[in-house]
């Protein structure tokens, strides 16, 4: 029981450490990007007012985490076609059914929406 607790604690500490290192690396990447931008603006004599606006804009944009696209998630390639289709249907059916034409189409033949999502 003591060994199990030790192993569990070790795994937890390891996972937390890994996550913290990853967060730190992302933070360092943002800092390096902003440093390079500020250097560029300074070297090219950009006015302080405009440089401040550019800096704020880039900082806001760099902080946005864009949504992952399906093709960026390699693990999805491991799913069976049926399971992947179910996943797509779950993700997209509510969006599709918000359109009157798809809602009518789905009402007439419920398999159509499912088939569209599965492709």
């Amino acid at each position: 029981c003591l060994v199990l607790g030790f192993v569990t604690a070790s795994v937890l500490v390891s996972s937390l450490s890994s996550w913290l290192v990853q967060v730190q690396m992302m933070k360092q990447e943002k800092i390096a990007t902003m440093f390079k931008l500020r250097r560029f603006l300074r070297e090219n004599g950009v006015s302080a007012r405009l440089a401040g606006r550019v800096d704020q804009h880039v900082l806001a944009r760099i902080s946005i985490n864009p949504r992952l696209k399906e093709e960026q998630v390699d693990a999805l390639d491991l799913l069976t076609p049926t399971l992947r289709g179910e996943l797509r249907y779950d993700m997209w059916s509510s969006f599709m059914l918000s359109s009157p034409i798809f809602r009518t189409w789905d009402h007439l033949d419920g398999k159509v929406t499912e088939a569209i999502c599965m492709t």
Side-chain angles (χ1 to χ4, degrees):
C1 200
L2 184 62
V3 173
L4 182 62
F6 180 71
V7 170
T8 303
S10 296
V11 168
L12 182 63
V13 168
S14 175
S15 296
L16 184 59
S17 296
S18 173
W19 179 76
L20 287 172
V21 167
Q22 190 175 20
V23 168
Q24 185 65 30
M25 286 175 56
M26 289 187 319
K27 190 183 259 187
Q28 289 292 68
E29 197 174 297
K30 284 182 184 180
I31 290 169
T33 299
M34 294 306 296
F35 178 79
K36 191 181 282 188
L37 172 67
R38 289 172 184 144
R39 178 179 164 200
F40 172 82
L41 296 172
R42 192 174 48 253
E43 287 178 356
N44 287 285
V46 175
S47 70
R49 184 172 178 214
L50 180 58
R53 288 177 45 217
V54 169
D55 190 88
Q56 285 179 347
H57 182 81
V58 170
L59 193 56
R61 296 292 300 267
I62 206 170
S63 298
I64 296 172
N65 290 328
R67 292 178 64 146
L68 286 172
K69 296 182 176 105
E70 194 173 322
E71 50 279 351
Q72 292 174 299
V73 183
D74 295 334
L76 294 178
D77 293 336
L78 302 173
L79 299 177
T80 63
T82 303
L83 187 55
R84 192 158 186 169
E86 286 180 47
L87 177 64
R88 286 179 177 155
Y89 181 79
D90 193 65
M91 291 179 349
W92 296 106
S93 62
S94 61
F95 172 74
M96 288 180 64
L97 296 176
S98 67
S99 166
I101 192 163
F102 282 112
R103 206 172 30 250
T104 303
W105 202 357
D106 189 67
H107 181 69
L108 295 173
D109 184 1
K111 296 290 183 186
V112 171
T113 305
E114 192 174 324
I116 291 171
C117 290
M118 296 246 184
T119 57

